[in-house]
Amino acid sequence: MSEPTGKYSITMPRDIAEAARARSGPSGLSAYVAAAVARQIERDNLNELIAVAEAEHGPVTDEEIQALRDELHQARREQTSSGAGAA
């Protein structure tokens, strides 16, 4: 069962609205806009969590971010190479 919906009137630049309508596909503009707003809310929530974590532990450095990216890339390479021969 889907969530209850409400009807809202919003104002946005015409070029953005037309681009969204062109990309919305069969689900329609309302579903496209709802998904975009849901993603923004997720980002806002993540930014709040990051702010709380950084207030408690200090900011994450560029070096720490790069080290974690390197670990992620290595794990993906290992997963790909071990998964390729498993079929």
Side-chain angles (χ1 to χ4, degrees):
M1 187 157 109
S2 65
E3 293 289 321
T5 61
K7 188 169 182 162
Y8 303 92
S9 174
I10 62 168
T11 302
M12 70 174 77
R14 181 172 281 123
D15 59 334
I16 292 173
E18 291 307 317
R21 185 181 306 281
R23 293 179 175 266
S24 64
S27 62
L29 181 60
S30 291
Y32 190 87
V33 171
V37 171
R39 282 191 304 276
Q40 185 62 48
I41 291 169
E42 289 174 353
R43 287 185 180 130
D44 293 345
N45 289 339
L46 285 171
N47 285 334
E48 289 171 10
L49 287 172
I50 290 167
V52 168
E54 287 186 338
E56 185 173 334
H57 303 286
V60 179
T61 66
D62 290 340
E63 292 78 18
E64 290 170 316
I65 292 170
Q66 189 58 51
L68 290 170
R69 283 185 176 143
D70 293 344
E71 284 181 41
L72 178 60
H73 290 306
Q74 181 62 32
R76 285 181 176 157
R77 282 192 297 271
E78 290 172 4
Q79 184 179 33
T80 301
S81 64
S82 67

